[in-house]
Structures are given as structure tokens and as C-alpha cells.
Amino acid sequence: MIAPVSLTRYLVEKQRVDGHISAHLRLLLEVVARACKSISLSVNKGALGGVLGVAGTENVQGEIQKKLDIIANEVLVEANEWGGHLAAMASEEMTHIHPIPNRYPKGEYLLMFDPLDGSSNIDVNVSIGTIFSVLQLPEGATDVAEKDFLQPGRNQVAAGYCVYGPQTTLVLTVGDGVAMFTLDRERGSFVLTQDGVHIPEDTQEFAINMSNMRHWDAPVKRYIDECLAGADGPRGKDFNMRWIASMVADVHRILTRGGIFMYPWDQREPKRPGKLRLLYEASPMSWLIEQAGGAASTGHGRILDVQPHALHERVSVILGSKNEVERVTRYHQEAAPAA
Ligand code: AHG
Ligand code: MN
Ligand code: MN
């Protein structure tokens, strides 16, 4: 019988055999995985652990923080502070960047995370997750600052998420495909359960919050109208819909069986580019999707090429099965060729 491959062994081999990641990046990913294991335990305890409900505070985006948003943020910060692998961290739940305190050694990596994605699903026992993205400190940077984080997603050196669902699954890319690891609670470790994840190019399943339909831009409305028209419409086939309201869970489904996910710009707040955050939601998810053969677009261009201007900047997100994402992007071009 072939022994199962643990995350640790996978990362050691990525470092040693492929020379694909540095020792510090390996340590960083081990630490993030350990933090996710700890968050998973809190999530599983639910009401028994007193972790449900609101914390009574607001984050920089004006969202009410849930207890688990704060717990997950603290777990990730504490786990990553002292290992010597990071220069700084940034999080959805922290207004400013968190440089590594001077009492600890510093490394060359920058870690960004959405500690708890899908907060509205915590109290109702629906899948939630943690999203993370890793960048390198720009060369020559001395004192780390917010501007060092403002790099396009194509600069990422690692990205992933951990989904806390019926199984706890860590999904990771270091730039050579996407691997999935399932948490084996008896062993206490993540075990490789799928490598070389591939998203089918075509799909008959879309994910979008339909309650925003009246606010959508014309190209998005056109695309969804055509899907809804089904076999009798221009697409000539029926479509199915899913919306979990946890990006991790929606993206996990797409990595597993294909589909398209959209949280596009809409007219509710025309000056706001979208709802999802570029650095710690859209960028890591887009890279995972591209690494699995899918595509990720704002409607006007590749998400990984967007130049960020602020830590908590938002962006329009259309990602998943390649041919569908290209179709929605084409509809945007046809609607506003000069844009
Ligand atoms: P977060 O819980 O980190 O704030 O993110 C929630 C995001 C994303 O996970 C999800 O796709 C989307 O918000 C759901 O938004 P709606 O409630 O507007 O559908
Ligand atoms: Mn989120
Ligand atoms: Mn969050």
C-alpha cells in the first residue's frame, strides 16, 4: 500500500526535489496550515465553544465583526509572528498592515488573509473558510510599508484557502498547479487527496447573488438572461444555479466540478469597483483558478494584472470555467469597446 502524502512531505518535496519553494516559504505554508487546523477546531465546536455570534465591533470596511472573524484573525497573527519567515501581514480584519515586531526575526515574505470568509454563514452552520496570499517583499525594501503589499496578483508566490465544510480541505498553489489536502483528524495532519486539479472549460452552472439583478451592468444581465433562457435560448442548454455566499465554498465547487462565479461591479455604489477585496480574496482565488486551467476577469481584464492602490481595495470578480469567463468578458467588450 502506498503511504498517504502529508502536506509536510508534499512541501518538503516541492522544496527539495523540484526546488520550487524556499525553506522559509515551506515553513510559512506549514504555519498557515497549522493555524487553519486550529480555526477548524473552533469552527467545529460552534455553540459549545462559545464562538458563534457577533463581537460587537466593526472592521475598516464598516462590516460588523463576528466572534470567529476575530478569533481566526488572532490565530493567524499569533501563529505567523515568531517564525522568522515574514516581514509583515495584512488582513481583512486589520485596518493597517501588521509588521513583525522587532523582538522577532524577520523574513522576506508578506502574508495577506481573509481570516474567515463567508461570515454570514457562521451561525447557520454552512461552509466557511480562510483565504491567503503570499508575496515577496520588493527588493531593496527596508522598513516594510503598506505600499509593499500593493503588487498585482501575478506576483504571488503562494496562494490558497482552507474550507471548513463537511470536510476541512486545504487548497494550495505555489505556481505549478493546484493541490487539495483533506484534514485527517485522527492523524492530525493534512493529507494530499487531489493533485493537478483541472476545471472543465465549459459549464452549465453559474453562481451569482440574483437579488442584485436590478443593479447589474448590461453585459452581466445579458449573460445571466441567456443562461436562464435554457435550452430554448441562444445557449441551447439548461443552466443550474448555486450561491453559497461563502466565496471559498463557491470556488471549491468550481475547482471540483466547474462553473462560473460572479460578484461583478454593480450600480448600488457606482464608485465602488465591486464587493470582494482584491488582495486577500480576488487575487489568491484568481491564481488558483488560473492554475487549474480556468480564467479570472474583472469583465475588462485579467484580475491578476490589476495594480492595487490600497490595502482593502475592492474589485469586480468573474471567475471559473474558461469559456464562460471569456464569454462574459467578450460581452463587456461588445457593450463598451472603448472602455
Ligand atoms: P466575508 O465574510 O469575508 O466578508 O466575505 C463574504 C463575501 C464572499 O465570501 C461571498 O461570496 C460574498 O461576500 C457574499 O455576499 P452577499 O451576501 O452579498 O451575497
Ligand atoms: Mn471574504
Ligand atoms: Mn472575512
Side-chain angles (χ1 to χ4, degrees):
M1 202 181 92
I2 301 167
V5 175
S6 64
L7 175 68
T8 299
R9 178 168 170 189
Y10 178 89
L11 293 174
V12 164
E13 288 176 357
K14 276 275 166 278
Q15 181 195 339
R16 195 183 55 206
V17 184
D18 308 354
H20 202 86
I21 59 172
S22 69
H24 266 179
L25 184 53
R26 174 168 68 83
L27 174 65
L28 189 166
L29 294 170
E30 288 266 22
V31 172
V32 168
R34 200 169 62 229
C36 289
K37 227 189 295 181
S38 162
I39 296 167
S40 175
L41 285 173
S42 294
V43 168
N44 290 160
K45 282 194 180 132
L48 299 176
V51 300
L52 304 185
V54 294
T57 44
E58 255 186 28
N59 67 14
V60 63
Q61 353 235 345
E63 298 161 342
I64 304 284
Q65 290 175 304
K66 298 279 175 60
K67 283 185 197 163
L68 263 179
D69 288 323
I70 301 199
I71 292 168
N73 191 66
E74 281 170 359
V75 167
L76 281 156
V77 169
E78 198 282 328
N80 281 286
E81 260 190 336
W82 43 267
H85 51 286
L86 285 183
M89 294 175 241
S91 160
E92 178 188 342
E93 306 304 341
M94 300 191 288
T95 307
H96 303 292
I97 67 162
H98 180 91
I100 297 303
N102 285 331
R103 61 183 180 280
Y104 299 124
K106 297 186 181 70
E108 56 169 325
Y109 292 104
L110 303 172
L111 174 65
M112 285 148 288
F113 43 84
D114 174 355
L116 209 294
D117 176 65
S119 303
S120 74
N121 282 324
I122 297 171
D123 293 352
V124 293
N125 202 357
V126 171
S127 295
I128 50 183
T130 297
I131 310 173
F132 61 92
S133 162
V134 185
L135 290 167
Q136 235 159 342
L137 191 63
E139 243 170 76
T142 43
D143 274 347
V144 62
E146 178 173 323
K147 66 170 183 353
D148 299 322
F149 285 81
L150 306 182
Q151 304 183 39
R154 60 171 185 269
N155 286 7
Q156 290 171 103
V157 293
Y161 64 82
C162 187
V163 59
Y164 313 114
Q167 302 107 45
T168 288
T169 308
L170 185 88
V171 179
L172 176 70
T173 185
V174 290
D176 64 346
V178 175
M180 293 188 178
F181 303 84
T182 305
L183 180 60
D184 182 331
R185 288 180 199 283
E186 279 91 64
R187 287 170 194 272
S189 62
F190 283 100
V191 175
L192 181 67
T193 40
Q194 208 189 331
D195 205 356
V197 173
H198 183 76
I199 305 173
E201 268 103 70
D202 294 299
T203 182
Q204 288 176 234
E205 197 162 66
F206 65 86
I208 191 166
N209 184 337
M210 294 287 284
S211 69
N212 296 323
M213 185 184 258
R214 68 192 182 285
H215 306 295
W216 292 343
D217 209 6
V220 173
K221 190 149 192 328
R222 174 183 170 193
Y223 176 77
I224 297 295
D225 280 348
E226 289 181 3
C227 293
L228 294 176
D232 300 331
R235 301 299 307 275
K237 57 182 184 180
D238 290 332
F239 279 76
N240 185 26
M241 194 203 86
R242 287 286 184 276
W243 183 252
I244 301 174
S246 290
M247 189 192 200
V248 276
D250 280 310
V251 167
H252 194 67
R253 183 188 61 255
I254 289 171
L255 284 171
T256 306
R257 69 177 188 209
I260 180 168
F261 168 94
M262 296 195 268
Y263 213 124
W265 173 89
D266 68 39
Q267 282 154 19
R268 274 174 296 176
E269 291 177 67
K271 289 225 171 70
R272 200 169 88 165
K275 173 175 179 177
L276 298 175
R277 278 61 49 122
L278 175 58
L279 288 175
Y280 43 80
E281 290 180 317
S283 274
M285 292 311 210
S286 297
W287 198 30
L288 285 165
I289 292 284
E290 283 199 5
Q291 283 291 314
S297 163
T298 62
H300 299 284
R302 185 178 177 227
I303 290 178
L304 293 182
D305 288 335
V306 174
Q307 173 62 51
H309 295 97
L311 201 57
H312 300 286
E313 180 170 328
R314 296 169 191 255
V315 69
S316 174
V317 175
I318 298 156
L319 56 77
S321 290
K322 204 170 181 188
N323 291 341
E324 296 300 305
V325 174
E326 284 173 359
R327 176 182 288 268
V328 182
T329 306
R330 192 171 78 240
Y331 288 2
H332 280 81
Q333 283 160 357
E334 286 169 14

